[in-house]
Amino acid sequence: MFGLSKKAELHAPFAGNVVDVSQVPDPVFSQKMLGEGFAVQPDDGDELTVLAPVAGEIVKVFKTGHAFAMRTDQGVEVLVHIGLETVELKGEGFNVLAESGQSVQAGEPIVKVDAARVKAAGYNLITPVVLTKRGQTKDVKVSAVHAQANEAVCSFKLC
């Protein structure tokens, strides 16, 4: 254990195609301004249940339901942003299932989304999952695959 970095992983928040965050069609994410990570383009469906990508504490659930932030027991900070520009919906189509301060396991439901409604309003539901605190992690590797909900798709080492 001396001098070795501890490995950790993030899980897909729902089933879909996984890409590196650099492939997200939004410069804030693709240029990694918010951090390293991945994104999932959900499979087709009218509803989408967004799961915790890691075990830890829900630090903040945005009142609009479009995003939530978590912190693991090791202090790693993770942001899940459901769709692009979805804050503009002002919570319409989002049902928050968890609250700030709540401890959750990876795979627990956090937000339920009326995907049909969000897509009909013209929004892309690609969902970035990013490690937001610089200097906490290194060697971030993303498995660009089609993932099932709660499948490990991103590994990293703790600094």
Side-chain angles (χ1 to χ4, degrees):
M1 287 279 224
F2 297 101
L4 297 178
S5 294
K6 185 174 180 186
K7 289 185 179 181
E9 58 191 18
L10 296 173
H11 297 237
F14 46 77
N17 289 318
V18 177
V19 297
D20 187 88
V21 75
S22 64
Q23 302 302 306
V24 174
D26 180 312
V28 172
F29 292 105
S30 65
Q31 294 175 17
K32 301 183 181 182
M33 292 179 203
L34 293 178
E36 297 263 353
F38 66 95
V40 183
Q41 184 69 54
D43 291 339
D44 287 334
D46 290 342
E47 283 193 348
L48 183 64
T49 300
V50 182
L51 311 176
V54 67
E57 178 187 354
I58 303 291
V59 176
K60 179 174 180 72
V61 178
F62 290 77
K63 64 182 175 182
T64 55
H66 79 285
F68 61 93
M70 297 184 65
R71 184 181 309 115
T72 69
D73 290 342
Q74 296 82 20
V76 176
E77 296 178 3
V78 180
L79 173 71
V80 178
H81 194 285
I82 306 163
L84 301 179
E85 307 298 333
T86 50
V87 67
E88 295 171 359
L89 291 170
K90 299 179 180 158
E92 291 182 33
F94 295 85
N95 181 21
V96 176
L97 306 173
E99 57 189 45
S100 298
Q102 183 177 336
S103 291
V104 297
Q105 295 301 311
E108 283 191 46
I110 308 299
V111 178
K112 187 165 264 194
V113 181
D114 182 341
R117 184 176 188 172
V118 173
K119 288 187 279 188
Y123 294 90
N124 184 343
L125 275 172
I126 192 167
T127 298
V129 178
V130 294
L131 299 158
T132 57
K133 194 167 181 186
R134 301 215 186 268
Q136 279 190 320
T137 59
K138 63 182 180 180
D139 299 333
V140 178
K141 292 184 175 62
V142 175
S143 301
V145 296
H146 181 277
Q148 296 304 312
N150 201 33
E151 182 178 340
V153 295
C154 178
S155 64
F156 58 93
K157 291 180 183 174
L158 302 174
C159 293

